[in-house]
Amino acid sequence: MKQDWRRSLRNAIVRNDHRNVVAGAVAGLGGAIAIGVMELFSFAAHYPLAVIPFATSIVLVIGSPDVEPAQPRALIGGHVVSALVGLVVLKLAGPQAWAAAAAVGLSILAMYLTGTFHPPAGINPLLVVSGNLPWTFLFVPVLAGAVLLTAFALLWHRFLRRQAWPRRWI
């Protein structure tokens, strides 16, 4: 009897069953840990947490790891491409409301064209243009954060869930 609940727990975690409370609690724990680490980096980098665009990416990568936007190419590439679009639009148009809207639209197009579509990355150009953020934003927190989130997801899925992740790297 003692083994049955352990086996059920392990099976729920491995399957990532969206209707199972245990699997949901484990995914929630992963999200909370990732957000906590993100907060530490936010503090260390002197960026307000509201300017670090990874909360929804964490939910996607931990909660639905098999979907295409949760794969490393989309996770890293989508954040970098969309932030880069935001920086280019900011340079060309300045921190205008219309420019922020245009940057989001252009970043969606750019992610489609580059095969890096990651919906949570759509916030990057909005943050960049409306916040008049510097080019360094592309490297820290965007690139560094996306790479760290990818590493966290790899460890989380391989060692805790004991599942192969990602389905593909590129």
Side-chain angles (χ1 to χ4, degrees):
M1 188 66 137
K2 194 172 191 179
Q3 291 290 57
D4 288 341
W5 74 268
R6 287 182 183 164
R7 186 175 313 131
S8 295
L9 176 66
R10 171 58 50 203
N11 288 341
I13 292 169
V14 168
R15 281 193 324 265
N16 199 32
D17 184 354
H18 290 266
R19 296 178 194 259
N20 186 295
V21 173
V22 174
V26 169
L29 176 64
I33 291 169
I35 292 285
V37 170
M38 187 175 69
E39 285 188 52
L40 290 173
F41 285 119
S42 165
F43 181 75
H46 303 291
Y47 268 105
L49 187 59
V51 179
I52 298 183
F54 295 108
T56 52
S57 293
I58 290 167
V59 172
L60 180 63
V61 171
I62 299 299
S64 295
D66 295 327
V67 298
E68 194 61 33
Q71 303 307 305
R73 176 185 174 92
L75 175 62
I76 297 169
H79 276 289
V80 169
V81 165
S82 66
L84 188 58
V85 168
L87 289 163
V88 169
V89 170
L90 175 63
K91 181 72 173 165
L92 295 174
Q96 308 293 327
W98 67 267
V104 171
L106 290 170
S107 74
I108 293 169
L109 174 62
M111 286 188 286
Y112 268 111
L113 293 175
T114 59
T116 59
F117 186 68
H118 182 72
I123 193 69
N124 291 340
L126 180 65
L127 292 172
V128 167
V129 176
S130 63
N132 198 18
L133 297 175
W135 281 88
T136 56
F137 182 79
L138 180 63
F139 302 105
V140 175
V142 172
L143 179 59
V147 169
L148 288 171
L149 177 53
T150 301
F152 176 83
L154 179 67
L155 294 172
W156 183 262
H157 293 298
R158 292 249 172 117
F159 294 109
L160 181 77
R161 289 190 56 232
R162 300 191 188 283
Q163 291 289 306
W165 186 90
R167 284 188 300 140
R168 63 186 180 118
W169 283 96
I170 299 176

